[in-house]
């Protein structure tokens, strides 16, 4: 194996960025043909996801303003910490499992960073300026009218694409319909959303047009963690040095979007884009040598061994993923969209009163909280249960207290009431009673038991 250079290939000794101009991979390369379709499919998916509904709800919505998230049409609120923890752990263990099996296939084939840069931003550059050699020449030339015109046109196109993407990405955060209305109504009606669209467009422009491979190298945590998740059977773009067919043409280096030399072996900068494999295949074809000097392989396959699918890490990550998904499923099936909690108020434990006829009653003070975890506003009312009325229990509410409440989506409403219970209902200082809660959604009725304390 060749000796790997120290430091990043896109940074010089002074720590300054070295701009790279990767060549386009061969158009008819085995991977390039397939990657083109997959990447356009991913672009389409990223654009339409906010517009897809599952059971009438968004497939994915990250409504940070209202602290609620829709994942596969299921609504989660920020205060549902255990449920969100299982969503996040399922996602992380899923990524770990895929990485152990397929390496960084996600980065090279599906990550928004790669697909938008490869299929849109680089294509614009190629169209306006020309191939990688022309781009480098223009970069190194002094400013003149031709350079100013080409750069101006390129950045104008980049800005237009970034603003378009910024509008689409807004739908991820506010939902498809509101985003559509905001766009139609214009910035003067929705300054907040306009600000976020402009911010997102700015981030897209900065990242996809200028920062590019630097994001993968210095900002993305996934690249840094890959070595923890990968093992000797994980796939990566492997150079088969023992074949001895390399003619040192540097085509694999010229096409690399992160500027590395794949012949140094597995490096954290490699995003598994497969461009080097296609470039080398085209060279091997010309010199009439077998293809796949660079191709998908693993450390074990380079040693002539076949990696098993079931191995230490895949078993551990697969087990953790299964546990996490199972726990999430269990929590979701036990989850109630409409909930209420009756709790004793922490003032006087009880009051003893006697009516004019001399009957003794005990009064307890309660708080009741109604939670609405559904998408829409719900109305709720509460009253004594029929059983409580039969036992002579009375409910006393503050005069201002309403009987029915609106509870906004993701919110809770708290109110208070007193229960007046005949003293004869108490045994050993305790009496049981119940109240009935009616949610208007689907005529949902439930009873909440309450425990009263008395003398
Ligand atoms: S080494 Fe090959 S697969 Fe890895 S980033 Fe460079 S060109 Fe892509
Ligand atoms: S493209 Fe193939 S032949 Fe050319 S330098 Fe890379 S590995 Fe060697």
């Amino acid at each position: 194996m060749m000796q790997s250079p120290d430091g990043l290939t896109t940074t010089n000794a002074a720590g300054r960025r070295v701009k790279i101009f990767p060549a386009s991979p061969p158009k008819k390369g085995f991977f390039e043909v397939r990657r083109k379709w997959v990447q356009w499919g991913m672009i389409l998916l990223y654009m339409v996801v906010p517009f897809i509904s599952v059971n009438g709800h968004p497939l994915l919505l990250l409504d940070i303003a209202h602290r609620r998230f829709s994942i596969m049409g299921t609504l989660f609120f920020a205060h549902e910490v255990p449920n969100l923890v299982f969503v996040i752990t399922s996602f992380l263990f899923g990524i770990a499992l895929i990485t152990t099996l397929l390496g960084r296939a996600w980065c090279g084939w599906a990550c928004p960073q790669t697909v938008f840069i490869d299929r849109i931003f680089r294509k614009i550059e190629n169209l306006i300026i020309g191939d990688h050699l022309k781009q480098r020449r223009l970069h190194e030339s002094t400013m003149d009218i031709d350079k100013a015109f080409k750069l101006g046109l390129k950045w104008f196109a980049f800005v237009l694409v970034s603003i378009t993407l910024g509008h689409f990405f807004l739908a991820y955060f506010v939902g498809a319909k509101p985003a559509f209305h905001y766009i139609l109504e214009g910035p003067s009606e929705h300054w907040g959303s306009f600000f976020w669209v402009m911010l997102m467009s700015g981030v897209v422009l900065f990242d996809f047009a200028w920062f590019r491979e630097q994001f993968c190298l210095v900002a993305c945590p996934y690249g840094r963690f890959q070595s923890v998740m990968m093992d000797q059977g994980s796939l990566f773009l492997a150079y088969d040095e023992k074949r001895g067919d390399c003619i040192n043409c540097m085509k694999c280096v010229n096409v690399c979007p992160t500027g590395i030399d794949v012949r140094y072996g597995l490096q954290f900068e490699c995003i598994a884009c497969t461009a080097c494999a296609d470039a080398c295949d085209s060279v091997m074809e010309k010199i009439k040598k077998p293809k796949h000097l660079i191709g998908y392989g693993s450390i074990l396959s380079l040693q002539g061994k076949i990696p098993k699918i079931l191995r230490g890490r895949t078993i551990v990550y697969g087990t953790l993923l299964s546990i996490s998904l199972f726990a999430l499923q269990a929590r979701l099936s036990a989850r109630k969209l409409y909930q209420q909690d009756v709790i004793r108020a922490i003032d006087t434990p009880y009051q003893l009163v006697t009516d004019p006829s001399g009957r003794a009653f005990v009064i307890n003070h309660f708080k009741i909280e109604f939670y609405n975890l559904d998408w829409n506003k719900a109305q709720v009312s509460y009253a004594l249960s029929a059983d409580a009325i039969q036992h002579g229990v009375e409910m006393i509410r503050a005069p201002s207290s309403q009987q029915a409440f609106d509870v906004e989506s993701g919110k809770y409403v708290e109110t208070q009431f007193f229960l007046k219970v005949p003293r004869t209902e108490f045994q050993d200082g305790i009496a049981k009673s119940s109240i009935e809660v009616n949610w208007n959604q689907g005529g949902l009725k439930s009873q909440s038991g309450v425990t009263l304390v008395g003398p």
Side-chain angles (χ1 to χ4, degrees):
M1 187 71 62
M2 295 162 68
Q3 181 65 43
S4 171
D6 291 334
L8 287 175
T9 45
T10 54
T11 311
N12 66 18
R16 297 184 74 85
R17 181 178 179 187
V18 177
K19 196 152 171 32
I20 55 172
F21 299 90
S24 302
K27 272 195 179 120
K28 293 190 177 157
F30 176 84
F31 293 112
E32 176 61 9
V33 170
R34 284 152 185 81
R35 223 162 58 99
K36 183 171 88 178
W37 287 108
V38 172
Q39 291 193 325
W40 274 114
M42 291 309 298
I43 288 174
L44 188 67
L45 188 68
Y46 290 132
M47 308 291 261
V48 302
V49 157
F51 301 90
I52 300 175
S53 294
V54 177
N55 300 328
H57 302 308
L59 177 69
L60 183 64
L61 172 71
L62 308 170
D63 187 356
I64 293 165
H66 298 102
R67 300 194 295 151
R68 61 183 191 170
F69 314 96
S70 174
I71 299 164
M72 306 296 283
T74 303
L75 185 63
F76 297 91
F77 290 93
H79 56 259
E80 293 184 85
V81 176
N83 292 343
L84 285 173
V85 165
F86 287 125
V87 169
I88 292 166
T89 52
S90 301
F91 176 72
L92 292 179
F93 292 137
I95 284 195
L97 180 63
I98 290 170
T99 307
T100 305
L101 289 169
L102 303 178
R104 290 179 72 178
W106 161 262
C107 300
W109 292 71
C111 174
Q113 171 87 6
T114 313
V115 301
F116 283 106
I117 291 177
D118 279 0
R119 297 299 147 197
I120 299 182
F121 284 79
R122 283 200 208 288
K123 297 294 174 206
I124 290 174
E125 254 165 1
N126 289 344
L127 200 69
I128 295 174
I129 301 174
D131 65 13
H132 67 294
L133 296 173
K134 288 185 179 155
Q135 289 171 29
R136 179 179 291 281
R137 270 203 297 276
L138 191 78
H139 178 71
E140 289 167 355
S141 67
T142 48
M143 185 60 76
D144 58 15
I145 290 184
D146 180 55
K147 181 170 180 174
F149 175 74
K150 284 182 174 161
L151 289 183
L153 194 60
K154 177 183 92 165
W155 281 98
F156 177 69
F158 282 173
V159 168
L160 280 188
V161 172
S162 302
I163 290 177
T164 307
L165 293 180
H167 280 85
F168 271 96
F169 293 160
L170 174 71
Y172 277 91
F173 299 97
V174 299
K177 275 188 198 159
F180 192 63
H181 284 133
Y182 294 173
I183 293 166
L184 284 185
E185 286 163 13
S188 59
E189 300 285 320
H190 302 282
W191 276 109
S193 299
F194 177 70
F195 170 78
W196 287 113
V197 168
M198 286 299 116
L199 187 69
M200 267 184 273
S201 306
V203 171
V204 167
L205 183 66
F206 168 78
D207 187 23
F208 295 177
W210 187 78
F211 201 44
R212 294 196 174 173
E213 80 287 344
Q214 295 299 305
F215 180 86
C216 310
L217 304 185
V218 301
C220 177
Y222 179 54
R224 301 277 165 172
F225 282 119
Q226 64 159 338
S227 53
V228 181
M229 299 182 236
M230 289 172 77
D231 62 13
Q232 299 220 323
S234 305
L235 287 184
F236 68 101
L237 268 294
Y239 165 65
D240 192 356
E241 189 179 17
K242 63 181 178 314
R243 268 181 49 175
D245 288 336
C246 177
I247 57 167
N248 207 21
C249 67
M250 300 298 280
K251 285 216 166 176
C252 53
V253 179
N254 291 342
V255 292
C256 181
T258 60
I260 59 171
D261 188 335
V262 68
R263 295 172 296 169
Y264 290 125
L266 178 60
Q267 297 152 74
F268 88 87
E269 296 99 324
C270 176
I271 58 166
C273 72
T274 65
C276 53
D278 280 339
C280 190
D281 276 354
S282 70
V283 176
M284 292 296 118
E285 206 173 282
K286 276 185 200 142
I287 62 170
K288 307 222 177 328
K289 296 268 183 181
K291 289 181 179 179
H292 313 312
L293 179 57
I294 301 170
Y296 273 115
S298 64
I299 293 173
L300 286 177
S301 71
L302 287 177
Q303 295 165 359
K305 300 174 191 162
I306 299 172
K308 292 180 191 151
I309 290 183
L310 287 182
R311 44 189 202 261
R313 278 179 205 210
T314 58
I315 293 171
V316 170
Y317 293 142
T319 308
L320 290 172
L321 175 62
S322 306
I323 292 172
S324 187
L325 284 173
F326 181 77
L328 179 62
Q329 176 59 34
R331 283 198 64 90
L332 289 184
S333 47
R335 183 178 187 248
K336 291 183 187 151
L337 294 182
Y338 310 106
Q339 302 167 14
Q340 63 275 336
D341 272 345
V342 184
I343 40 177
R344 292 176 52 76
I346 48 167
D347 48 8
T348 330
Y350 63 87
Q351 275 178 282
L352 206 51
V353 293
T354 311
D355 73 3
S357 67
R359 281 180 73 203
F361 292 87
V362 178
I363 296 177
N364 276 207
H365 183 188
F366 292 94
K367 275 197 232 175
I368 185 164
E369 291 170 349
F370 301 103
Y371 297 86
N372 175 11
L373 300 182
D374 200 4
W375 281 94
N376 303 311
K377 183 163 77 175
Q379 198 180 56
V380 64
S381 60
Y382 69 101
L384 281 172
S385 68
D387 184 55
I389 294 168
Q390 269 183 3
H391 284 83
V393 180
E394 284 177 52
M395 181 178 278
I396 305 162
R397 304 175 207 243
S400 59
S401 175
Q402 298 165 303
Q403 213 156 355
F405 305 87
D406 283 341
V407 189
E408 297 293 334
S409 167
K411 301 275 189 257
Y412 81 94
V413 167
E414 178 193 297
T415 186
Q416 306 194 14
F417 64 91
F418 295 86
L419 287 186
K420 184 177 164 194
V421 180
R423 188 173 172 176
T424 49
E425 293 289 321
F426 283 80
Q427 282 186 352
D428 301 327
I430 297 284
K432 302 271 185 196
S433 188
S434 58
I435 62 160
E436 190 172 278
V437 176
N438 292 295
W439 290 91
N440 68 343
Q441 259 60 19
L444 192 70
K445 280 187 184 190
S446 62
Q447 290 214 344
S448 287
V450 289
T451 301
L452 296 100
V453 295

